[in-house]
Amino acid sequence: MAIKLPRKNSMSYIDLLAWVVENKNELIGCRIDNIYNLEKLENVFIFKLHCKSYDRNLIIEPGTRINFTKYDIQKEIGNKAKTLRELIRDLIISNIEIMDKERILKIELSNGMKIILELLPRGLLLVLDNQDKIKFATEYKEFKDRIVKPGLTYTQPPKPKKTVIPKDVINALHLAETANVEEEYDKLEKSIIEGKITPCIQKGINFMPIEFEGCEKGTSFNDVIDEYFLELTKEREIQKTTEKIEGEKKKLEKTIQQIEENIKEYEEKAEELRNIGKYLMEHYMEVENAVKNKQKKIKVGDKEIEINPGFSVTKNSSLYFDKAKEYVEKEKKAKETLEELKRKLNEIEKEIKREEEGRRLSIRKKEWYEKYRWSFTTNGFLVIAGKDSDQNESLVRKLLEDTDIFMHADIQGAATTIIKNPKNITDQDIYDAAVIAASYSRAWKMGLAAVDVFWVYGNQVSKSPPTGEYLPKGSFMIYGKKNYIKAVKLSLAIGFKIDDTLEIIAGSENSISAKVKNYVVISPGEELERTVDRIVKILSELNSISPSKELKSEVLSILPGKSKIVKVVKETNGKQ
């Protein structure tokens, strides 16, 4: 019977070994183009690498993991990332190796410097010079066994006297009853060094480079690590984001509780004082005698009531009713305060939800085509368009195949637009793509209502100009017949596609209406920021999510320019 193991929170030595075996050749030769840290987690770094095959993003998280990531994560440039940039930017990775069979990775750089990543608990990320002196560390501290300070020689954390074999490995290899556990562990290590790796994941629980009970096999061990830590990173980002807000919420809840107790106390006190006032009037003669006898107290059951012998019975009674009114007034003010605090609490809860939604959007696997303008037609054909002259050039040089459709608005200053693999394509699909070509052209910024768009096949497009002529960047020669689509309306539909993550999609109204039930339609207008705010507010309400700055940023990046909303379509198919 399998042992139930706790959730895995970091890579083991075997995991690190498998990752290095699988990815060493990919990593060596990469140039460090840039370094960022996650927006909410300053000790999680993203190294943007320019590698032999293509650019890659490497996540390095001390004490936890190292892997290439395919997910687009909100990042920023914190002080630690800035320091790392100053030290190692533009250097090339010349070698990587694991130190002393521990969860410590040494990445050697082209100028002799080294990056040290410790995946042990309380692990660090360090940069050493060519004499192994510390130039940077994520934390400077005097530990029990070593001192980490700038200028000192790097010392590894002390190695355990005996090899610690992770419980998940013991469980996966069924080693509990095996006499020589270390021998079996050595065999596993050797097999992984030989490249015998079976990427396996049990989402939210465990991942390993060998098959284990309840796991699903992955395509690569790196992808398994990337997928596994996605949810953990989301949780930690949400926790970090909402920590301060949650603290405010708890304080507010405590204050609300205290005010509710005060209100109850005021109600009881007012009732008690009114009852005394009533009693004094109901026992008029008895109280009058007490006043005549200059008594300061009279007995009422088990309690004594104070009276002023200098006042009449009616006056004494009125005094108690007046005091009761004071408590009623206190109760009223407390209730007003309570309502205001509850309103603030509701706003804080909305803010927490907004932040959580923002995290949903901030960590999402982005496909290769998402660095361009992109859309899918009604029947699912991929449309990609350039954002600038560099991308226009790149699309034709690298992605345009002979059988693809090349499309361009018939106006100077427009995006190169391509329909990929247009096998059995319909007129509707071509029109859907034409909407993208028209919208992301200068026609939108000019405020035109429509523009002509032409299309040809990829084999009709060339970067080679006639002899003696020059083609500027982003320009092409078109040979043969052009197919024209006249007066393509400048109009984009925008919707939120929601499943495990939130994706913002844009395209022709026909294509978007086939994918989502709620969407807005925009056309050229006079405003940008206000239109973005309105789009996010409308679509957030229609999809029952909270608006966030991430949503606004994504929507802003989609808009071709100043716009206005011309239609809102809801789930009921009603229009406004």
Side-chain angles (χ1 to χ4, degrees):
M1 183 178 174
I3 301 168
K4 188 173 181 180
L5 297 169
R7 184 188 206 181
K8 190 171 187 172
N9 290 310
S10 64
M11 292 170 71
S12 67
Y13 163 69
I14 287 295
D15 296 331
L16 180 60
L17 178 64
W19 186 83
V20 170
V21 168
E22 183 185 82
N23 296 281
K24 183 173 183 174
N25 290 337
E26 176 66 32
L27 197 58
I28 291 174
C30 292
R31 186 182 72 244
I32 301 169
D33 268 359
N34 232 328
I35 301 167
Y36 305 88
N37 57 273
L38 262 60
E39 187 180 31
K40 303 295 178 183
L41 303 171
E42 66 170 2
N43 268 356
V44 183
F45 300 95
I46 297 178
F47 282 54
K48 186 179 178 184
L49 305 177
H50 180 69
C51 301
K52 290 168 283 190
S53 51
Y54 52 91
D55 292 354
R56 304 199 70 172
N57 287 329
L58 182 74
I59 283 194
I60 295 181
E61 183 173 0
T64 304
R65 61 156 163 167
I66 179 171
N67 64 275
F68 293 113
T69 183
K70 60 192 171 190
Y71 294 101
D72 186 66
I73 303 175
Q74 293 285 339
K75 49 190 181 285
E76 62 183 11
I77 311 163
N79 290 330
K80 291 178 183 179
K82 283 179 185 175
T83 304
L84 283 169
R85 284 182 176 192
E86 290 167 5
L87 288 170
I88 59 175
R89 192 174 181 178
D90 291 329
L91 296 180
I92 293 169
I93 295 169
S94 56
N95 191 35
I96 62 167
E97 61 180 44
I98 296 173
M99 300 175 71
D100 294 335
K101 293 190 176 184
E102 276 293 305
R103 284 187 284 168
I104 303 174
L105 186 66
K106 178 167 69 175
I107 303 173
E108 297 175 8
L109 303 174
S110 51
N111 69 345
M113 294 177 78
K114 303 169 192 76
I115 300 168
I116 304 293
L117 172 62
E118 300 174 352
L119 295 179
L120 303 157
R122 298 169 68 197
L124 305 173
L125 176 69
L126 306 101
V127 174
L128 314 180
D129 65 15
N130 53 16
Q131 295 180 328
D132 290 344
K133 297 277 175 57
I134 297 169
K135 300 282 287 182
F136 166 87
T138 44
E139 185 181 5
Y140 296 110
K141 193 172 180 180
E142 192 166 328
F143 293 90
K144 182 182 176 183
D145 309 286
R146 60 178 179 148
I147 300 173
V148 178
K149 286 185 180 176
L152 296 184
T153 301
Y154 170 69
T155 305
Q156 289 178 221
K159 189 177 175 72
K161 292 178 181 177
K162 187 179 178 183
T163 302
V164 179
I165 302 173
K167 289 181 180 178
D168 61 351
V169 173
I170 292 172
N171 191 42
L173 295 179
H174 307 289
L175 298 180
E177 299 87 18
T178 304
N180 199 337
V181 174
E182 287 190 18
E183 187 179 316
E184 294 297 322
Y185 187 67
D186 289 342
K187 285 181 185 176
L188 171 62
E189 182 184 22
K190 185 180 177 184
S191 70
I192 287 174
I193 290 170
E194 292 170 352
K196 295 171 184 174
I197 298 169
T198 305
C200 229
I201 183 172
Q202 191 174 9
K203 290 181 183 178
I205 299 172
N206 196 10
F207 66 93
M208 294 179 74
I210 55 175
E211 194 170 352
F212 59 94
E213 189 175 334
C215 78
E216 295 177 23
K217 292 181 183 178
T219 53
S220 75
F221 191 52
N222 180 83
D223 286 353
V224 158
I225 297 169
D226 196 25
E227 184 177 355
Y228 182 82
F229 280 105
L230 174 67
E231 288 305 318
L232 268 68
T233 304
K234 278 184 181 179
E235 287 173 16
R236 288 173 59 210
E237 281 208 333
I238 290 169
Q239 183 183 359
K240 188 78 175 176
T241 301
T242 58
E243 250 173 26
K244 185 180 177 183
I245 310 171
E246 288 283 3
E248 292 173 12
K249 181 183 173 183
K250 283 178 183 175
K251 285 180 187 174
L252 208 51
E253 285 174 334
K254 193 173 179 181
T255 306
I256 286 171
Q257 184 183 356
Q258 183 60 55
I259 290 175
E260 285 175 336
E261 289 171 5
N262 290 347
I263 288 170
K264 188 178 179 183
E265 185 184 322
Y266 296 153
E267 285 175 343
E268 290 171 353
K269 193 69 179 172
E271 183 64 20
E272 180 188 353
L273 292 166
R274 279 194 296 269
N275 287 337
I276 292 171
K278 287 178 187 175
Y279 178 87
L280 295 178
M281 292 305 294
E282 288 168 356
H283 298 78
Y284 191 93
M285 295 303 295
E286 184 183 337
V287 178
E288 190 174 44
N289 288 333
V291 169
K292 285 178 182 178
N293 294 326
K294 304 296 181 182
Q295 288 178 228
K296 293 186 178 180
K297 292 180 181 177
I298 61 169
K299 193 90 170 175
V300 178
D302 297 332
K303 289 170 52 175
E304 284 187 325
I305 299 173
E306 290 186 2
I307 58 173
N308 190 327
F311 293 154
S312 66
V313 177
T314 305
K315 180 66 174 175
N316 271 292
S317 175
S318 294
L319 286 173
Y320 277 102
F321 277 112
D322 288 343
K323 285 179 184 176
K325 286 176 184 176
E326 288 175 15
Y327 278 99
V328 169
E329 191 59 31
K330 283 183 180 181
E331 180 191 339
K332 182 184 174 185
K333 286 180 179 176
K335 283 182 176 177
E336 288 172 357
T337 303
L338 182 65
E339 286 305 310
E340 177 61 21
L341 291 178
K342 283 184 175 179
R343 187 191 64 75
K344 285 183 181 177
L345 182 62
N346 186 48
E347 283 302 312
I348 284 176
E349 285 170 346
K350 283 181 181 177
E351 188 177 350
I352 291 170
K353 190 177 178 184
R354 277 195 297 271
E355 291 292 347
E356 288 172 351
E357 291 293 347
R359 292 305 102 197
R360 274 178 87 188
L361 184 63
S362 70
I363 305 179
R364 180 178 68 82
K365 178 186 173 185
K366 286 212 170 184
E367 302 295 343
W368 63 269
Y369 51 77
E370 291 190 53
K371 64 181 178 181
Y372 305 103
R373 305 282 189 195
W374 63 276
S375 184
F376 281 92
T377 67
T378 303
N379 293 303
F381 292 97
L382 173 62
V383 181
I384 44 181
K387 291 182 177 179
D388 51 37
S389 59
D390 285 334
Q391 284 199 347
N392 287 344
E393 185 95 9
S394 173
L395 281 171
V396 170
R397 286 193 180 277
K398 296 179 181 179
L399 291 174
L400 182 65
E401 296 181 278
D402 286 352
T403 55
D404 290 342
I405 288 176
F406 172 96
M407 192 172 278
H408 200 278
D410 198 20
I411 189 173
Q412 190 174 3
T416 289
T417 305
I418 296 172
I419 308 176
K420 292 297 294 177
N421 306 314
K423 189 177 179 182
N424 300 322
I425 198 164
T426 68
D427 289 345
Q428 178 62 57
D429 295 309
I430 291 175
Y431 187 83
D432 294 337
V435 168
I436 297 297
S439 296
Y440 292 109
S441 74
R442 196 160 61 93
W444 190 286
K445 292 178 176 62
M446 291 170 66
L448 302 182
V451 68
D452 294 346
V453 173
F454 71 83
W455 67 269
V456 296
Y457 287 104
N459 58 13
Q460 294 177 248
V461 182
S462 175
K463 268 301 294 177
S464 301
T467 306
E469 291 187 25
Y470 166 77
L471 281 177
K473 183 183 283 188
S475 297
F476 316 100
M477 291 297 300
I478 307 295
Y479 296 94
K481 181 189 174 186
K482 294 179 182 177
N483 303 282
Y484 277 90
I485 307 164
K486 294 291 186 180
V488 177
K489 192 176 178 184
L490 270 63
S491 172
L492 271 182
I494 299 172
F496 290 174
K497 189 178 177 185
I498 301 172
D499 38 47
D500 289 337
T501 58
L502 191 158
E503 184 179 20
I504 301 171
I505 57 174
S508 71
E509 184 173 2
N510 203 71
S511 67
I512 297 302
S513 65
K515 297 171 183 65
V516 294
K517 294 176 180 177
N518 303 310
Y519 60 89
V520 299
V521 180
I522 61 169
S523 65
E526 298 299 322
E527 295 178 327
L528 187 59
E529 293 288 345
R530 187 168 176 270
T531 301
V532 169
D533 289 341
R534 285 194 64 214
I535 291 170
V536 171
K537 183 175 185 293
I538 291 166
L539 291 180
S540 295
E541 287 175 358
L542 291 177
N543 289 283
S544 301
I545 63 171
S546 295
S548 67
K549 64 179 182 180
E550 286 84 4
L551 277 175
K552 289 180 182 179
S553 176
E554 287 278 319
V555 171
L556 181 61
S557 71
I558 285 172
L559 265 59
K562 293 180 179 179
S563 309
K564 63 183 177 185
I565 297 172
V566 293
K567 187 195 292 185
V568 177
V569 178
K570 302 180 181 180
E571 192 169 359
T572 56
N573 293 324
K575 298 174 184 178
Q576 73 177 42

